[in-house]
Amino acid sequence: MNNTVANSRAAMSASKYTLQCNSPQCRVKLSGFAWVTACSHVFCDQHGSEQFSRTPSVCPTCSTMLSGKLDVLRTELAPSEQYKAMILIGLQPETVLEICHKALVFWTYQVNQERLLMEYNMSRAGGQVLQMEKFMIQQNKSRELELNTLRVEIATLKKGLEEYKQKYNEVLERLNERNRQYQKLQGLLDSLRMHTLGIGEKDPTPHTFTTGLVKQHSPHSPLFLRPEGDRFFSLGPDNSQSFFQFSSPTRDRTHSFIKKN
């Protein structure tokens, strides 16, 4: 009697619980019709019809042989009021209580199995969380090492950059110094040029022009080098006479060069 009361309390506490298909691939909430077994498992109408249509039947959850006529039943989960009013009529109270006890044991077993399954899933999820935490810790450590390495590399590159900047400034200073020296020398050169040009204007030197005799082609026609180039011209017999002939200006007979006193 006490067991019946305890089971009834458990059933009342689980009154909001909805049965689920015990097939691992399904786990759908049951409604309408369901298949129940003598091993206290329940299945949806689709999977129950597929599993228990052949004989001998085997429970897909615990692999129990269900060879009895009443080991597997298809039942309505929400029976009508007329069904509930007539199903237990005429039975002895002990029989009614025994039927209720077995029904409550079935419900208690389903609730406990669901709780164990949830605990298993939570434990499995907790293990996965721990693995993920370990993985994240390892990843954080490796990333921290990489960051430290990158920080060292950045510091080294900055140091090298400062050294290159210093060298660049030194080279730039040298270049500026060379440019200043170049400008100074350029100024001195310009001053010397101006000074030289000024001296040349004050004391010009006469330019001498020379003609060189080159190979003669004939005794009558000597060749002379023209100042403007390498071409030669010859003086023929006729031209030589006119070349060496100088005509003096005609004297005015009325005027003499020597003034007589």
Side-chain angles (χ1 to χ4, degrees), residues 212-241:
L213 266 180
V214 296
K215 184 179 178 181
Q216 295 180 356
H217 292 275
S218 66
H220 301 286
S221 61
L223 295 177
F224 290 86
L225 177 64
R226 289 187 181 181
E228 66 271 16
D230 295 335
R231 294 182 300 170
F232 297 93
F233 66 94
S234 62
L235 295 178
D238 298 332
N239 294 330
S240 60
Q241 184 178 0

Side-chain angles (χ1 to χ4, degrees), residues 109-229:
Y109 175 80
Q110 285 292 318
V111 172
N112 288 333
Q113 289 297 313
E114 191 65 27
R115 178 179 61 82
L116 293 174
L117 180 61
M118 291 178 65
E119 290 178 355
Y120 169 75
N121 290 333
M122 290 179 64
S123 175
R124 186 178 178 182
Q128 293 178 353
V129 169
L130 291 176
Q131 291 180 358
M132 290 299 295
E133 287 179 353
K134 291 180 180 179
F135 177 75
M136 291 302 297
I137 291 172
Q138 293 177 356
Q139 290 293 319
N140 289 334
K141 288 182 179 180
S142 61
R143 295 296 179 271
E144 190 67 25
L145 290 175
E146 291 179 0
L147 286 175
N148 292 332
T149 304
L150 291 175
R151 290 190 186 101
V152 172
E153 291 180 359
I154 290 172
T156 305
L157 291 175
K158 285 183 177 179
K159 185 177 179 181
L161 181 61
E162 292 297 329
E163 292 177 356
Y164 280 119
K165 284 183 178 179
Q166 185 177 0
K167 291 180 180 179
Y168 171 76
N169 292 329
E170 292 176 358
V171 172
L172 184 62
E173 185 64 26
R174 292 178 184 175
L175 179 62
N176 292 332
E177 183 64 25
R178 294 294 176 84
N179 287 333
R180 287 192 292 269
Q181 293 177 1
Y182 172 77
Q183 294 294 334
K184 186 176 180 180
L185 293 175
Q186 187 69 29
L188 291 175
L189 179 62
D190 293 340
S191 299
L192 289 174
R193 285 178 179 174
M194 295 297 295
H195 182 68
T196 304
L197 291 176
I199 293 175
E201 290 177 355
K202 290 180 181 180
D203 188 17
T205 57
H207 298 281
T208 59
F209 298 93
T210 59
T211 54
L213 266 180
V214 296
K215 184 179 178 181
Q216 295 180 356
H217 292 275
S218 66
H220 301 286
S221 61
L223 295 177
F224 290 86
L225 177 64
R226 289 187 181 181
E228 66 271 16

Side-chain angles (χ1 to χ4, degrees), residues 50-62:
E50 293 175 357
Q51 293 293 331
F52 306 125
S53 61
R54 53 185 178 272
T55 55
S57 300
V58 179
C59 179
T61 301
C62 62

Side-chain angles (χ1 to χ4, degrees), residues 5-161:
V5 174
N7 290 333
S8 63
R9 289 179 180 176
M12 290 177 64
S13 63
S15 59
K16 295 182 180 180
Y17 172 74
T18 302
L19 291 174
Q20 294 181 355
C21 180
N22 294 160
S23 176
Q25 294 80 15
C26 184
R27 302 296 299 166
V28 68
K29 291 184 178 182
L30 300 178
S31 61
F33 290 90
W35 291 77
V36 293
T37 64
C39 55
S40 299
H41 291 114
V42 62
F43 302 93
C44 64
D45 196 17
Q46 178 182 355
H47 284 90
S49 300
E50 293 175 357
Q51 293 293 331
F52 306 125
S53 61
R54 53 185 178 272
T55 55
S57 300
V58 179
C59 179
T61 301
C62 62
S63 301
T64 301
M65 294 296 296
L66 304 172
S67 58
K69 183 178 180 181
L70 298 177
D71 287 346
V72 180
L73 290 176
R74 184 175 182 267
T75 183
E76 188 177 1
L77 298 178
S80 62
E81 293 295 329
Q82 184 179 4
Y83 178 82
K84 291 187 286 184
M86 298 299 295
I87 190 63
L88 296 177
I89 290 178
L91 299 178
Q92 294 291 329
E94 294 83 2
T95 306
V96 173
L97 290 176
E98 186 178 358
I99 294 173
C100 292
H101 172 70
K102 291 183 180 296
L104 293 175
V105 168
F106 176 84
W107 263 91
T108 304
Y109 175 80
Q110 285 292 318
V111 172
N112 288 333
Q113 289 297 313
E114 191 65 27
R115 178 179 61 82
L116 293 174
L117 180 61
M118 291 178 65
E119 290 178 355
Y120 169 75
N121 290 333
M122 290 179 64
S123 175
R124 186 178 178 182
Q128 293 178 353
V129 169
L130 291 176
Q131 291 180 358
M132 290 299 295
E133 287 179 353
K134 291 180 180 179
F135 177 75
M136 291 302 297
I137 291 172
Q138 293 177 356
Q139 290 293 319
N140 289 334
K141 288 182 179 180
S142 61
R143 295 296 179 271
E144 190 67 25
L145 290 175
E146 291 179 0
L147 286 175
N148 292 332
T149 304
L150 291 175
R151 290 190 186 101
V152 172
E153 291 180 359
I154 290 172
T156 305
L157 291 175
K158 285 183 177 179
K159 185 177 179 181
L161 181 61

